[in-house]
């Protein structure tokens, strides 16, 4: 069986494996460092104790040698430091303890500085490892070299098993920690696995269901709540998309059906048909289809956030120019302040203003009034007509796609029902708002977009 090298890479491991490996590695490093420090501390303590006791015994022995210059057998005062020996300057044996009887002088270099002890560890045949303190001392009979030693074979004998025991402890502790971490991560991720399975079922069976939010209020429960919020939003988006597709199909079906019916009727008796009239009727239906498709394209671009270049625009000047560009069914009065500058896309604002004016003209009885003012950091454009007005319960519905009030359908059967929807999307794309506000008479649509305070 071949195993892909990529699967061995930590980036391909599961979260449980990565967390367990990382935690185990960290614990292994910490335990190893702790064991090394512990061993060094134990070793340092042992040798520090040997050094202190060795200095004490060596001081007593050098004092005895300095005052009495003993020969023969030396008395042992410390039960551990039993290896005592005195050698003269020529290397001859002067005195020793019973444990060194029958041995010649120890092969140890003389201290470099008289009166200062030197410490070393060496092996002595038959005694094993020995901790030795050596010091030079002056006597009436000349220089003497004093050796004070303690066998440490027990310490060195058990050092390897002790180190092995520490290493085994580190390995066992690391394995235990890895096992505990693995179980803990598995248990912590269990709600995530449950949510993942539920999401798979929701994806396969449709909308309407939600994932289970685990009990304690923690990061996993927050994830579950976020997933449910996302599912709710997706469900709403899907519902709007289905409704939009249905509305588009309905709106496109009407002109297509009319166009087809006109052409079929005309083709039944082509010699009796007024073909210029048929062409004009077909062109009207084609114009309606083109208007719907153009508006849908604008909505798609606005919804997708397509970047369009913006520039500094004097909103009052633009309103005056556009209202004067073409005649209207009813007069349009403009009251636009000077210097109301915004950062915007010109043709988008023109389309928004045209949609608002067309809507106002469609419902106006005798006139339309347009004002441009400022309110703190916003530019405010208001379009007011003297028509029947908009009922409070319909003030949001008029911004829905393909939504036209009965009065609007009667006055303009060629509209697409997308004008105000596009206008609100344009306002939002510019960081502003478009609402139907209260009015004493008729409808009042209010646009607010941020002013441009930058220097030109």
């Amino acid at each position: 069986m071949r195993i892909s090298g990529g699967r061995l890479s930590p980036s391909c491991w599961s979260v449980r494996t990565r967390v367990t490996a990382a935690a185990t590695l960290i614990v292994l490093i910490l335990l190893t460092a702790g064991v090394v420090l512990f061993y060094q501390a134990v070793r340092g303590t042992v040798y520090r104790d040997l050094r202190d006791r060795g200095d004490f015994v060596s001081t007593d022995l050098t004092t005895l040698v300095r005052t009495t210059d003993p020969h023969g057998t030396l008395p042992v005062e410390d039960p551990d430091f039993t290896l005592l020996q005195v050698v003269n300057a020529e290397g001859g044996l002067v005195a020793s303890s019973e444990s060194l009887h029958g041995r010649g002088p120890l092969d140890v270099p003389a201290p470099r500085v008289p009166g200062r002890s030197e410490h070393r560890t060496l092996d002595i045949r038959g005694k094993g490892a020995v901790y030795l303190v050596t010091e030079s001392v002056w006597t009436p009979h000349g220089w003497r070299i004093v050796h004070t030693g303690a066998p440490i074979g027990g310490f060195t004998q058990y050092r390897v098993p002790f180190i092995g025991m520490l290493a085994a402890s580190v390995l066992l502790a690391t394995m235990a920690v890895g096992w505990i971490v693995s179980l803990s991560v598995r248990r912590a991720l269990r709600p995530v696995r449950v949510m993942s399975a539920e999401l798979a079922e929701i994806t396969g069976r449709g909308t309407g269901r939600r994932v289970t939010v685990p009990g304690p209020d923690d990061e996993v429960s927050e994830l579950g709540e976020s997933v449910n919020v996302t599912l709710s939003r997706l469900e709403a988006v899907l519902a709007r998309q289905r409704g939009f597709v249905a509305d588009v199909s309905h709106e496109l079906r009407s002109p297509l059906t009319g166009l087809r019916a006109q052409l079929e009727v005309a083709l039944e008796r082509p010699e009796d048909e007024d073909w210029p009239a048929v062409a004009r009727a077909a062109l009207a239906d084609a114009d309606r289809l083109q208007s719907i498709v153009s508006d849908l394209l604008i909505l798609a671009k606005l919804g997708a956030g397509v970047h369009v270049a913006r520039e500094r625009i004097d909103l009052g000047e633009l309103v005056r120019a556009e209202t004067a560009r073409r005649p209207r069914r009813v007069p349009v009065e403009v009251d636009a302040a000077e210097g109301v500058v915004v950062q915007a896309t010109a043709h988008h604002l023109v389309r928004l203003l045209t949609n608002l004016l067309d809507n106002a003209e469609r419902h106006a009885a005798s006139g339309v009034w347009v004002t441009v003012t400022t309110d703190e950091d916003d530019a405010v454009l208001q379009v007011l007509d003297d028509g029947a007005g908009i009922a409070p319960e319909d003030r949001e519905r008029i911004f829905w796609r393909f939504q036209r009030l009965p009065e609007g359908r009667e006055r303009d059967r060629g509209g697409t029902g997308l004008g105000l929807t596009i206008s609100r999307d344009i306002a939002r794309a510019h960081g502003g708002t478009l609402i139907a506000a209260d009015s004493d008479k008729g409808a009042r649509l209010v646009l607010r977009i941020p002013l441009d305070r930058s220097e030109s």
Side-chain angles (χ1 to χ4, degrees):
M1 180 178 64
R2 299 180 60 184
I3 300 178
S4 173
R7 294 183 180 274
L8 300 178
S9 173
S11 60
C12 299
W13 295 353
S14 65
V15 173
R16 178 185 175 189
T17 303
R18 289 199 300 269
V19 172
T20 302
T24 304
L25 179 61
I26 292 173
V27 169
L28 177 61
I29 293 173
L30 293 177
L31 286 178
T32 302
V35 164
V36 171
L37 292 176
F38 174 72
Y39 174 76
Q40 294 295 335
V42 171
R43 184 176 181 275
T45 300
V46 171
Y47 277 96
R48 187 165 50 251
D49 181 65
L50 287 172
R51 184 184 185 91
D52 293 342
R53 291 174 62 188
D55 286 340
F56 181 78
V57 173
S58 179
T59 300
D60 287 347
L61 183 56
T62 54
T63 301
L64 177 65
V65 172
R66 184 183 297 110
T67 56
T68 65
D69 192 20
H71 289 67
T73 302
L74 295 173
V76 174
E77 302 294 339
D78 191 296
D80 290 329
F81 283 84
T82 60
L83 305 178
L84 309 177
Q85 192 176 82
V86 179
V87 181
N88 58 29
E90 290 75 22
L93 182 62
V94 176
S96 66
S97 60
E98 291 184 0
S99 58
L100 289 179
H101 275 174
R103 293 178 179 271
L106 298 177
D107 186 13
V108 178
R112 293 184 294 271
V113 180
R116 179 181 296 177
S117 61
E118 292 186 0
H119 301 255
R120 59 174 56 86
T121 301
L122 73 161
D123 288 327
I124 298 178
R125 183 173 54 86
K127 301 298 181 180
V130 174
Y131 184 83
L132 191 66
V133 181
T134 303
E135 185 175 349
S136 298
V137 59
W138 175 257
T139 69
H141 301 284
W143 286 101
R144 299 288 188 261
I145 300 174
V146 179
H147 300 299
T148 306
I152 56 173
F155 174 75
T156 57
Q157 177 183 358
Y158 293 107
R159 180 173 57 185
V160 173
F162 180 68
I163 293 175
M165 183 183 65
L166 291 179
S169 301
V170 169
L171 291 179
L172 290 176
T174 302
M175 293 173 60
V177 169
W179 180 68
I180 293 173
V181 170
S182 179
L183 290 182
S184 300
V185 174
R186 179 181 177 83
R187 183 173 182 178
L189 292 179
R190 186 180 302 163
V192 178
R193 293 195 300 273
V194 172
M195 285 189 286
S196 178
E198 291 175 344
L199 276 176
E201 293 181 3
I202 292 172
T203 303
R205 298 183 182 179
T207 59
R209 298 179 57 192
R210 298 293 181 267
V211 300
T212 302
V213 178
D217 187 10
D218 55 11
E219 292 79 0
V220 179
S221 63
E222 291 178 1
L223 173 63
E225 293 173 356
S226 299
V227 169
N228 285 337
V229 170
T230 302
L231 288 174
S232 300
R233 291 176 179 174
L234 287 175
E235 188 173 341
V237 169
L238 288 175
R240 288 197 299 269
Q241 185 180 21
R242 294 191 187 100
F244 177 64
V245 171
D247 292 339
V248 170
S249 301
H250 174 74
E251 293 294 328
L252 291 178
R253 186 184 299 116
S254 298
L256 285 174
T257 302
L259 178 61
R260 182 182 180 87
Q262 292 174 11
L263 294 177
E264 287 177 347
V265 171
L267 288 175
E268 286 181 358
R269 295 183 178 180
E271 66 280 357
D272 297 333
E273 195 62 48
D274 183 2
W275 285 103
V278 172
R280 284 192 293 271
L283 183 60
D285 287 331
D287 288 340
R288 174 166 168 73
L289 286 172
Q290 184 179 10
S291 298
I292 293 175
V293 172
S294 298
D295 287 348
L296 291 176
L297 180 60
I298 293 174
L299 283 175
K301 288 183 177 179
L302 291 172
V306 177
H307 176 73
V308 182
R310 296 183 181 181
E311 57 184 317
R312 286 171 54 85
I313 297 174
D314 189 318
L315 186 59
E317 182 179 336
L318 181 142
V319 169
R320 286 189 292 270
E322 288 301 317
T323 53
R325 188 171 60 86
R326 65 173 182 174
R328 296 277 176 178
R329 181 181 63 84
V330 295
V332 179
E333 296 184 11
V334 178
D335 181 13
E338 299 287 345
V340 181
V341 179
V342 295
Q343 192 75 225
T345 304
H347 67 272
H348 280 177
L349 285 188
V350 170
R351 180 59 185 269
L352 185 152
L353 177 61
T354 301
N355 290 341
L356 296 185
L357 291 175
D358 288 345
N359 180 77
E361 182 183 15
R362 188 180 302 121
H363 298 88
S366 60
V368 175
W369 293 265
V370 181
T371 62
V372 177
T373 58
T374 60
D375 182 15
E376 295 182 352
D377 294 330
D378 292 333
V380 182
L381 168 66
Q382 300 187 66
V383 178
L384 176 67
D385 64 67
D386 58 351
I390 305 172
E393 62 272 15
D394 293 330
R395 289 179 182 173
E396 278 300 311
R397 193 163 66 89
I398 62 173
F399 295 103
W400 297 356
R401 292 171 177 172
F402 300 111
Q403 293 293 324
R404 287 186 291 169
L405 301 181
E407 181 187 358
R409 291 184 181 272
E410 293 177 1
R411 290 177 177 269
D412 183 10
R413 297 184 179 274
T416 64
L418 294 173
L420 292 180
T421 305
I422 292 174
S423 299
R424 173 168 277 188
D425 284 355
I426 291 174
R428 288 174 174 172
H430 287 79
T433 60
L434 177 62
I435 62 171
D438 294 334
S439 177
D440 295 335
K441 183 179 181 182
R444 183 165 70 100
L445 298 177
V446 181
L447 166 71
R448 302 176 73 95
I449 56 177
L451 287 168
D452 183 13
R453 300 290 191 182
S454 63
E455 296 294 333
S456 58

